[in-house]
Amino acid sequence: MQKKILVTGGTGYIGSHTVVELQENGYETIIVDNLSNSQIEVLDGIAGITGIRPSFENLDLCDLEKLRDCCHSYSGIKAIVHFAALKAVGESVEKPLEYYSNNLVSLMNLLQVMQEFNIPCLVFSSSCTVYGQPDRLPVTEDTPVKPASSPYGNTKQISEEIIRDTVAAVSGLKAISLRYFNPIGAHRSALIGELPLGTPLNLIPYITQTVIGVRDHLRVFGNDYDTPDGSGIRDYIYVVDLARAHVKAIERLLEDKGEQAYEVFNLGTGKGLSVFEIVKTFEKATGQQVHYKIYPRRPGDIARVYADTTLANKVLGWKAGTPLEDTLLSAWNWEKYIRGRMNH
């Protein structure tokens, strides 16, 4: 019998790729999403790749009664992978209460139903934003968590604390928080990928939209950082590699391999790349030129951050291995597919 996994935010960017990996590893998935930042057509993409259309519930996790009804309808859920959250750093600065209310209430409701319906395992989508600008690089799981530079980052910190405290208090509950660095790329089939609504906040969709003609130029924020070429350095990880780590985390929880009931892992490549390095590699991978202009630094942006992934490599048995050129090419193929779909 297939094990049932509830995936919140499963029509989103990382969520949809994780649903694909879970289904390809024999799990039955139930997606819960309110479609506030994603589209229902993503289900067609998932079905096109895996041959299985996941169960779907259009549901806001802040509505506890509807969440209870959902858990009641799908008895025997073994684990939850929790992606659903508001996630725009800039918007969180403008609307802090909306972010705290949405991101924390939804998590608390989930932990509530996990106890009521005996769902023992949680994988939480966290972020390297919890580290701020670290004093030392690379960042390990023991790197001190600094005061967050945005309400969004703070909701990730507080969520981790809520999970840790709940797991400590409730016997039989286990959780893993995965701290992502910068997910990029799309599924090699080009049937699912990153689909930002409005102006992209992330580098790669901004590059692909510029090259295809939706944007005039790429805006590079800051060329005066203390880095080799002056642009900011991040750890860019292929979204499918990232999705596979969630399957490893689920396996670890279900097989009860954890030394503690609550564990944290960094997910990155372990290598920092600058904005200009990404632009050059994209041009090489696709044969397309990227027009860019330099803009002032954005408030809250840090100069450099990248992961030490030793723990995830060793304990989860997971490693990010996809070459950067392949990852960037997948993003370009996805952009072309999306524009083709929109023009028909």
Side-chain angles (χ1 to χ4, degrees):
M1 195 171 123
Q2 287 183 312
K3 289 179 176 143
K4 283 184 200 166
I5 311 292
L6 183 76
V7 184
T8 76
T11 53
Y13 175 41
I14 305 168
S16 58
H17 287 84
T18 300
V19 168
V20 165
E21 295 303 313
L22 284 166
Q23 292 190 170
E24 289 187 336
N25 280 276
Y27 294 96
E28 180 188 337
T29 61
I30 302 135
I31 293 175
V32 166
D33 204 307
N34 67 357
L35 301 174
S36 65
N37 198 28
S38 59
Q39 296 178 336
I40 194 72
E41 288 78 16
V42 171
L43 298 177
D44 301 334
I46 294 169
I49 295 165
T50 64
I52 302 162
R53 194 178 181 85
S55 303
F56 177 78
E57 296 293 328
N58 188 336
L59 177 67
D60 191 323
L61 295 173
C62 293
D63 187 330
L64 181 58
E65 286 314 312
K66 285 200 173 142
L67 181 57
R68 280 190 176 118
D69 291 344
C70 173
C71 292
H72 195 69
S73 320
Y74 299 95
S75 59
I77 295 166
K78 295 292 178 207
I80 295 175
V81 188
H82 181 38
F83 294 103
L86 296 174
K87 64 179 178 59
V89 172
E91 186 184 56
S92 78
V93 176
E94 291 156 21
K95 302 175 178 173
L97 290 179
E98 199 176 315
Y99 270 67
Y100 286 117
S101 172
N102 183 81
N103 293 5
L104 301 179
V105 171
S106 57
L107 171 67
M108 290 189 284
N109 284 350
L110 270 182
L111 290 165
Q112 180 75 32
V113 297
M114 285 177 74
Q115 293 171 64
E116 291 173 17
F117 292 88
N118 294 320
I119 303 168
C121 307
L122 175 71
V123 176
F124 177 63
S125 160
S126 192
S127 164
C128 67
T129 57
V130 301
Y131 298 115
Q133 175 65 74
D135 297 326
R136 276 211 182 99
L137 290 171
V139 172
T140 74
E141 286 78 2
D142 296 325
T143 296
V145 168
K146 293 196 167 180
S149 57
S150 71
Y152 162 71
N154 203 20
T155 65
K156 290 297 183 191
Q157 289 184 5
I158 297 168
S159 292
E160 284 196 18
E161 290 166 2
I162 290 171
I163 294 165
R164 191 187 62 223
D165 292 346
T166 307
V167 164
V170 180
S171 171
L173 211 57
K174 295 173 290 185
I176 288 176
S177 284
L178 299 175
R179 291 174 178 165
Y180 313 154
F181 282 69
N182 291 57
I184 59 170
H187 196 271
R188 63 189 171 276
S189 65
L191 292 176
I192 55 171
E194 189 170 9
L195 191 58
L197 304 178
T199 307
L201 298 165
N202 295 336
L203 177 62
I204 304 304
Y206 214 115
I207 289 176
T208 58
Q209 287 189 15
T210 300
V211 171
I212 212 155
V214 176
R215 314 266 156 214
D216 284 344
H217 57 270
L218 169 69
R219 298 196 284 178
V220 176
F221 295 102
N223 65 343
D224 56 350
Y225 283 108
D226 181 18
T227 60
D229 62 19
S231 67
I233 288 176
R234 298 290 182 271
D235 188 335
Y236 295 95
I237 174 171
Y238 182 39
V239 67
V240 177
D241 287 343
L242 186 71
R244 287 178 182 141
H246 294 74
V247 180
K248 293 284 192 187
I250 287 284
E251 284 169 2
R252 182 169 174 80
L253 289 168
L254 292 179
E255 290 165 16
D256 210 8
K257 286 182 180 165
E259 279 99 63
Q260 294 101 25
Y262 178 61
E263 297 179 305
V264 174
F265 297 97
N266 284 339
L267 298 183
T269 62
K271 186 173 183 232
L273 293 165
S274 75
V275 174
F276 292 135
E277 283 176 303
I278 291 284
V279 167
K280 281 184 193 133
T281 310
F282 182 88
E283 290 180 335
K284 190 177 162 201
T286 63
Q288 303 290 325
Q289 195 181 356
V290 181
H291 298 286
Y292 65 83
K293 288 183 185 173
I294 310 295
Y295 284 73
R297 297 181 188 188
R298 287 181 299 196
D301 274 355
I302 57 178
R304 57 174 93 204
V305 65
Y306 52 93
D308 181 327
T309 60
T310 310
L311 195 68
N313 300 160
K314 197 168 76 184
V315 176
L316 287 181
W318 166 89
K319 197 167 175 41
T322 306
L324 181 63
E325 285 190 25
D326 295 359
T327 301
L328 294 173
L329 186 59
S330 74
W332 176 232
N333 289 338
W334 162 248
E335 185 68 57
K336 290 188 289 186
Y337 169 75
I338 282 298
R339 295 303 148 190
R341 206 172 73 183
M342 285 175 174
N343 294 335
H344 277 96

Coordinates of all heavy atoms in Angstrom, one line a residue, residues 307-339:
A307 N 26.5 27.4 1.6 CA 26.3 26.3 2.6 C 27.4 25.4 2.8 O 28.2 25.1 1.8 CB 25.1 25.5 2.2
D308 N 27.6 24.9 4.0 CA 28.3 23.6 4.2 C 27.3 22.5 4.2 O 26.4 22.5 5.1 CB 29.1 23.7 5.5 CG 29.9 22.5 5.8 OD1 29.5 21.4 5.4 OD2 30.9 22.6 6.5
T309 N 27.3 21.6 3.3 CA 26.3 20.6 3.1 C 26.7 19.2 3.7 O 26.1 18.2 3.4 CB 25.8 20.5 1.7 OG1 27.0 20.1 0.9 CG2 25.3 21.8 1.1
T310 N 27.8 19.2 4.4 CA 28.4 17.9 4.9 C 27.3 17.1 5.6 O 27.2 15.9 5.4 CB 29.5 18.2 5.9 OG1 30.4 19.1 5.3 CG2 30.3 16.9 6.2
L311 N 26.5 17.7 6.5 CA 25.6 17.0 7.3 C 24.5 16.3 6.4 O 24.2 15.1 6.6 CB 24.9 17.9 8.3 CG 24.1 17.2 9.5 CD1 25.1 16.5 10.4 CD2 23.3 18.2 10.3
A312 N 23.9 17.1 5.5 CA 22.9 16.5 4.6 C 23.5 15.4 3.7 O 22.9 14.3 3.5 CB 22.3 17.6 3.7
N313 N 24.8 15.6 3.3 CA 25.4 14.6 2.4 C 25.6 13.3 3.2 O 25.3 12.2 2.7 CB 26.8 15.1 2.0 CG 26.8 16.3 1.2 OD1 27.8 17.0 1.0 ND2 25.6 16.7 0.6
K314 N 26.0 13.4 4.5 CA 26.4 12.3 5.3 C 25.1 11.6 5.9 O 24.9 10.4 5.8 CB 27.3 12.7 6.4 CG 28.1 11.6 7.1 CD 29.2 12.1 8.0 CE 28.6 12.7 9.3 NZ 29.6 13.4 10.1
V315 N 24.3 12.4 6.5 CA 23.2 11.9 7.3 C 21.9 11.5 6.4 O 21.3 10.5 6.6 CB 22.8 12.8 8.4 CG1 21.5 12.4 9.2 CG2 23.9 13.1 9.4
L316 N 21.6 12.4 5.5 CA 20.5 12.1 4.6 C 20.9 11.3 3.4 O 20.0 10.7 2.7 CB 19.9 13.4 4.1 CG 19.0 14.3 5.1 CD1 18.5 15.5 4.3 CD2 17.9 13.5 5.7
G317 N 22.2 11.2 3.2 CA 22.6 10.5 2.0 C 22.2 11.2 0.7 O 21.9 10.6 -0.3
W318 N 22.3 12.5 0.8 CA 21.8 13.3 -0.4 C 22.9 14.3 -0.8 O 23.7 14.8 0.0 CB 20.6 14.1 0.1 CG 20.3 15.3 -0.9 CD1 19.4 15.2 -1.9 CD2 20.7 16.6 -0.8 NE1 19.4 16.4 -2.6 CE2 20.2 17.3 -1.9 CE3 21.6 17.3 0.0 CZ2 20.4 18.6 -2.2 CZ3 21.9 18.6 -0.2 CH2 21.3 19.3 -1.3
K319 N 23.0 14.5 -2.1 CA 24.0 15.5 -2.6 C 23.4 16.2 -3.8 O 22.7 15.6 -4.6 CB 25.3 14.8 -3.0 CG 26.5 15.7 -3.1 CD 27.7 14.9 -3.2 CE 29.0 15.6 -3.4 NZ 29.2 16.9 -2.8
A320 N 23.7 17.5 -4.0 CA 23.3 18.2 -5.2 C 24.3 18.0 -6.2 O 25.5 18.3 -6.0 CB 23.1 19.7 -4.9
G321 N 24.0 17.4 -7.3 CA 25.0 17.0 -8.3 C 24.8 17.5 -9.7 O 25.6 17.2 -10.6
T322 N 23.7 18.2 -10.0 CA 23.4 18.6 -11.4 C 24.3 19.8 -11.8 O 24.4 20.8 -11.1 CB 21.9 19.0 -11.5 OG1 21.1 18.0 -11.0 CG2 21.5 19.3 -12.9
P323 N 25.0 19.7 -13.0 CA 25.8 20.7 -13.4 C 25.0 22.0 -13.6 O 23.9 22.0 -14.1 CB 26.4 20.2 -14.8 CG 26.2 18.7 -14.7 CD 25.0 18.5 -13.9
L324 N 25.7 23.2 -13.3 CA 25.0 24.5 -13.4 C 24.5 24.7 -14.8 O 23.4 25.3 -15.0 CB 26.0 25.6 -13.0 CG 25.4 27.0 -13.0 CD1 24.3 27.2 -12.1 CD2 26.5 28.0 -12.7
E325 N 25.3 24.4 -15.9 CA 24.8 24.7 -17.3 C 23.5 23.9 -17.5 O 22.6 24.5 -18.2 CB 25.9 24.2 -18.3 CG 27.1 25.2 -18.3 CD 28.0 25.0 -19.5 OE1 27.6 24.4 -20.5 OE2 29.2 25.4 -19.3
D326 N 23.4 22.7 -17.1 CA 22.2 21.9 -17.3 C 21.0 22.6 -16.6 O 19.9 22.6 -17.1 CB 22.3 20.5 -16.8 CG 23.3 19.7 -17.6 OD1 23.9 20.2 -18.5 OD2 23.6 18.5 -17.2
T327 N 21.3 23.1 -15.4 CA 20.2 23.7 -14.6 C 19.7 25.0 -15.3 O 18.5 25.2 -15.4 CB 20.8 24.1 -13.2 OG1 21.2 22.9 -12.5 CG2 19.7 24.7 -12.3
L328 N 20.6 25.8 -15.7 CA 20.3 27.1 -16.4 C 19.6 26.8 -17.7 O 18.6 27.5 -18.1 CB 21.5 27.9 -16.6 CG 22.1 28.4 -15.3 CD1 23.4 29.2 -15.5 CD2 21.2 29.3 -14.5
L329 N 20.0 25.8 -18.4 CA 19.3 25.4 -19.7 C 17.9 25.0 -19.4 O 17.0 25.3 -20.2 CB 20.1 24.3 -20.4 CG 19.6 23.9 -21.8 CD1 19.7 25.1 -22.8 CD2 20.5 22.8 -22.4
S330 N 17.7 24.2 -18.3 CA 16.3 23.8 -18.0 C 15.4 25.0 -17.7 O 14.2 25.0 -18.1 CB 16.3 22.9 -16.7 OG 16.5 23.6 -15.5
A331 N 16.0 26.1 -17.1 CA 15.2 27.3 -16.8 C 14.8 28.0 -18.2 O 13.7 28.5 -18.3 CB 16.0 28.2 -15.9
W332 N 15.7 28.0 -19.1 CA 15.5 28.6 -20.4 C 14.5 27.8 -21.2 O 13.5 28.4 -21.8 CB 16.8 28.7 -21.2 CG 16.7 29.3 -22.5 CD1 17.2 28.7 -23.7 CD2 16.1 30.5 -23.0 NE1 17.0 29.5 -24.8 CE2 16.3 30.6 -24.4 CE3 15.4 31.5 -22.3 CZ2 15.8 31.7 -25.1 CZ3 14.9 32.6 -23.0 CH2 15.1 32.7 -24.4
N333 N 14.6 26.5 -21.2 CA 13.6 25.7 -21.9 C 12.2 25.9 -21.3 O 11.2 25.9 -22.0 CB 14.0 24.2 -21.8 CG 15.2 23.9 -22.7 OD1 15.5 24.6 -23.6 ND2 15.9 22.8 -22.4
W334 N 12.1 26.0 -20.0 CA 10.8 26.2 -19.3 C 10.2 27.6 -19.7 O 9.0 27.7 -20.0 CB 11.0 26.1 -17.8 CG 9.9 26.7 -17.0 CD1 10.0 27.9 -16.2 CD2 8.6 26.3 -16.8 NE1 8.8 28.1 -15.6 CE2 7.9 27.2 -15.9 CE3 7.9 25.2 -17.3 CZ2 6.6 27.0 -15.5 CZ3 6.5 25.0 -16.9 CH2 5.9 25.9 -16.0
E335 N 11.1 28.6 -19.8 CA 10.6 30.0 -20.2 C 10.0 29.9 -21.6 O 9.0 30.5 -21.9 CB 11.8 30.9 -20.1 CG 11.4 32.4 -20.4 CD 10.5 33.0 -19.3 OE1 10.9 33.0 -18.1 OE2 9.4 33.5 -19.7
K336 N 10.7 29.2 -22.5 CA 10.2 29.1 -23.9 C 8.9 28.4 -24.0 O 8.0 28.8 -24.7 CB 11.3 28.4 -24.8 CG 12.5 29.3 -25.0 CD 13.5 28.6 -26.0 CE 14.2 27.4 -25.5 NZ 15.2 26.9 -26.4
Y337 N 8.8 27.3 -23.2 CA 7.5 26.5 -23.1 C 6.4 27.4 -22.6 O 5.3 27.4 -23.2 CB 7.8 25.3 -22.2 CG 6.5 24.6 -21.9 CD1 5.8 23.8 -22.8 CD2 5.9 24.7 -20.6 CE1 4.7 23.1 -22.5 CE2 4.7 24.0 -20.3 CZ 4.1 23.2 -21.2 OH 2.9 22.6 -20.9
I338 N 6.6 28.1 -21.5 CA 5.6 29.0 -21.0 C 5.1 30.1 -21.9 O 3.9 30.3 -22.1 CB 6.1 29.7 -19.7 CG1 6.1 28.7 -18.5 CG2 5.3 30.9 -19.3 CD1 4.8 28.2 -18.1
R339 N 6.1 30.7 -22.6 CA 5.7 31.8 -23.6 C 4.9 31.2 -24.7 O 4.0 31.8 -25.2 CB 6.9 32.5 -24.1 CG 7.7 33.3 -23.0 CD 6.8 34.3 -22.3 NE 7.3 34.5 -20.9 CZ 6.7 35.1 -20.0 NH1 5.5 35.7 -20.2 NH2 7.1 35.2 -18.8

